[in-house]
Amino acid sequence: MRHTRRTVGGAGEGKTDVKIRQIIAIAALISGSAGAAAPPPVTAVDFGPQTLTLINSYRTSRGLSPLAENATLKALALQHSRYQAARRTISHDGYRQRSAQAKAAGLSGLCTENVGIRYRNAQHLFSGWRNSRAHNQNLLRPDMRYAGVAVVGDYATFFACG
């Protein structure tokens, strides 16, 4: 077996070698940028409170009582939206822990949660949840009395308890 030693960029390098190096460099740049996800766009404002207003109007139009905004539930929703944004993924991770924290704060251990991603504003987010059968059921649960809604970047969380 014959081994050859080639110096990169040396005087003996031909046009073909230079072209191959250029192609490899371009491919490396493209693959590096394709694998790196752009950071999620950050909403300028948390439109969670406006979303809760829309949810409450919807609930009262259906004969249900509005949900009272609760600082503990708002904090739990904010914490979960931050968690999702940091991981750039939508999830219900930690739902049982959030329910336990709500119960420890004196609320019912009976809770519900909706999450969402890439909604532009409160109306868009509310409509997305209202038009989804399972999410809509959570919005209209008659046994819920308190809620918090928070949006961080592209990630939204609605957390409500009885």
Side-chain angles (χ1 to χ4, degrees), residues 46 73-83 149-152 157:
D46 175 2
L73 300 183
K74 170 73 176 184
L76 292 171
L78 181 60
Q79 174 189 16
H80 189 60
S81 290
R82 285 180 179 155
Y83 171 88
V149 183
V151 179
V152 174
T157 305

Side-chain angles (χ1 to χ4, degrees), residues 11-148:
E13 185 174 40
K15 288 182 180 179
T16 304
D17 293 329
V18 170
K19 195 67 165 171
I20 290 171
R21 276 193 358 201
Q22 289 173 337
I23 292 169
I24 291 170
I26 291 169
L29 284 171
I30 291 171
S31 68
S33 64
V42 176
T43 55
V45 64
D46 175 2
F47 50 83
Q50 293 89 350
T51 306
L52 183 57
T53 298
L54 293 170
I55 292 167
N56 280 334
S57 293
Y58 180 51
R59 285 177 60 87
T60 57
S61 76
R62 301 293 176 122
L64 298 169
S65 60
L67 300 169
E69 185 169 43
N70 178 276
T72 297
L73 300 183
K74 170 73 176 184
L76 292 171
L78 181 60
Q79 174 189 16
H80 189 60
S81 290
R82 285 180 179 155
Y83 171 88
Q84 293 176 107
R87 283 154 188 78
R88 296 184 184 171
T89 189
I90 193 167
S91 76
H92 289 284
D93 294 352
Y95 170 78
R96 287 185 180 170
Q97 290 84 352
R98 284 188 292 286
S99 293
Q101 287 177 285
K103 189 173 186 176
L107 300 166
S108 162
L110 178 64
C111 298
T112 192
E113 176 177 86
N114 287 350
V115 296
I117 185 171
R118 293 188 195 101
Y119 287 98
R120 297 180 306 273
N121 55 50
Q123 184 61 56
H124 190 223
L125 176 59
F126 168 70
S127 294
W129 284 338
R130 187 189 64 218
N131 293 325
S132 162
R133 188 168 89 45
H135 293 103
N136 189 55
Q137 286 177 332
N138 286 342
L139 297 178
L140 296 176
R141 286 186 58 177
D143 48 353
M144 297 296 113
R145 295 184 3 202
Y146 305 98

